[in-house]
């Protein structure tokens, strides 16, 4: 398998999922600005929408959409309530947190009204997550790919006005998830690549969401 990814983007969760599942994979970096792959191709010829993650299976089939990729990697049986609960959280993270709250706050081109709108939606959504994490160490009753995705998205908060210190259960969760060997390995690897990406584009004035500085 091959995972197309950009450093510290949502595709980090797919890398974590692969490490958790002990599945061998090749990782192909996509520069989010130039859309060139690390092996010199135009990523839009592979995935016309230009989004990561994208999983290339050994038979050449392509699977897009993080939620689908994560479920494929996790291999949770169809038709079970556990599967539905996993989908419930993946859909929430993808649509309510990633796209509604974080994309407008992270996108330098988003107009101020879009950023205000995103901020106005943040509290209720983060409260929902915080309440769940007051009762449970993980989103489900054990670590799943939904945690890999949530951890990845929450990491972006440090370069937005969102203050996660208002949610102690989320802060404790971030620490807990960060301590997992799969997450530690994936995060450290991508942090280096992210620093290289920043250097490549000389965006030294941007706060680095690998370090918060
Ligand atoms: N619906 C897609 C969204 C993926 C997505 O937003 N990927 C971002 C990185 S986190 C991306 O590739 N952005 C590049 C772009 O918008 O051109 C999914 O869930 O996989």
């Amino acid at each position: 398998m091959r995972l197309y990814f950009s450093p510290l983007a949502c595709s980090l969760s797919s890398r974590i999922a692969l490490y958790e599942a002990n599945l061998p994979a090749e990782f192909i970096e996509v520069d989010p600005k130039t859309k060139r792959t690390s092996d010199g191709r135009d990523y839009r010829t592979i995935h016309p929408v230009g989004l990561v993650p994208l999983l290339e299976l050994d038979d050449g089939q392509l699977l897009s959409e993080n939620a689908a990729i994560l479920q494929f990697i996790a291999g949770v049986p169809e038709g079970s309530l556990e599967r539905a609960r996993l989908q419930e959280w993946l859909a929430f993270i993808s649509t309510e947190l990633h796209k509604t709250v974080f994309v407008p706050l992270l996108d330098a081109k988003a107009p101020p009204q879009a950023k205000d709108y995103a901020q106005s939606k943040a509290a209720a959504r983060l409260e929902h997550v915080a309440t769940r994490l007051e009762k449970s160490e993980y989103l489900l009753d054990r670590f799943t790919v939904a945690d890999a995705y949530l951890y990845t998205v929450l990491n972006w908060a440090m370069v937005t006005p969102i203050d996660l210190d208002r949610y102690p259960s989320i802060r404790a969760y971030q620490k807990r998830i960060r301590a997992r060997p799969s997450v530690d390995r994936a995060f450290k690897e991508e942090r280096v690549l992210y620093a290289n990406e920043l250097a490549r584009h000389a965006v030294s004035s941007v706060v680095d969401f690998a370090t918060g500085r």
Side-chain angles (χ1 to χ4, degrees):
M1 274 188 295
R2 284 171 148 191
L3 180 73
Y4 292 86
F5 77 99
S6 297
L8 301 185
C10 52
S11 45
L12 172 66
S13 54
S14 301
R15 182 191 288 268
I16 293 169
L18 286 164
Y19 291 167
E20 284 281 338
N22 261 321
L23 288 173
E26 186 187 347
F27 295 90
I28 313 274
E29 185 175 344
V30 179
D31 186 304
K33 285 204 164 53
T34 63
K35 300 293 178 195
R36 303 299 298 183
T37 63
S38 47
D39 54 6
R41 290 174 290 161
D42 175 358
Y43 184 54
R44 290 193 196 274
T45 64
I46 305 163
H47 188 11
V49 195
L51 296 170
V52 293
L54 181 72
L55 194 66
E56 186 177 333
L57 308 184
D58 291 341
D59 64 3
Q61 287 192 70
L62 296 174
L63 183 64
S64 66
E65 291 300 313
N66 199 26
I69 292 170
L70 290 172
Q71 289 179 77
F72 176 75
I73 294 171
V76 181
E78 286 290 347
S80 59
L81 181 61
E82 186 192 0
R83 178 63 168 256
R85 290 276 175 230
L86 184 64
Q87 285 176 334
E88 182 181 29
W89 276 112
L90 290 173
F92 183 83
I93 298 161
S94 173
T95 61
E96 304 303 330
L97 290 176
H98 180 171
K99 290 295 172 179
T100 301
V101 174
F102 283 100
V103 167
L105 295 178
L106 292 169
D107 187 344
K109 291 189 187 135
Q113 293 91 333
K115 292 187 186 290
D116 290 348
Y117 178 82
Q119 280 221 69
S120 76
K121 297 288 175 190
R125 284 153 181 75
L126 290 168
E127 283 292 347
H128 177 57
V129 170
T131 302
R132 171 64 190 153
L133 296 176
E134 279 159 18
K135 296 184 201 123
S136 173
E137 283 193 20
Y138 306 106
L139 291 173
L140 302 189
D141 57 5
R142 61 183 175 83
F143 179 89
T144 66
V145 291
D147 297 298
Y149 192 9
L150 179 60
Y151 174 82
T152 297
V153 167
L154 291 174
N155 184 49
W156 302 334
M158 67 170 79
V159 291
T160 73
I162 290 174
D163 179 12
L164 292 181
D165 287 343
R166 292 173 56 195
Y167 310 99
S169 64
I170 292 184
R171 280 292 188 219
Y173 171 81
Q174 284 182 298
K175 268 195 180 167
R176 200 157 53 240
I177 302 299
R178 179 69 178 79
R180 290 183 78 81
S182 65
V183 177
D184 185 54
R185 177 182 167 199
F187 189 77
K188 281 181 177 154
E189 288 171 351
E190 293 210 1
R191 190 170 55 187
V192 173
L193 298 173
Y194 183 70
N196 294 344
E197 183 190 304
L198 289 184
R200 241 184 357 257
H201 297 296
V203 275
S204 52
S205 61
V206 169
V207 180
D208 177 349
F209 62 54
T211 62
R213 291 192 296 272

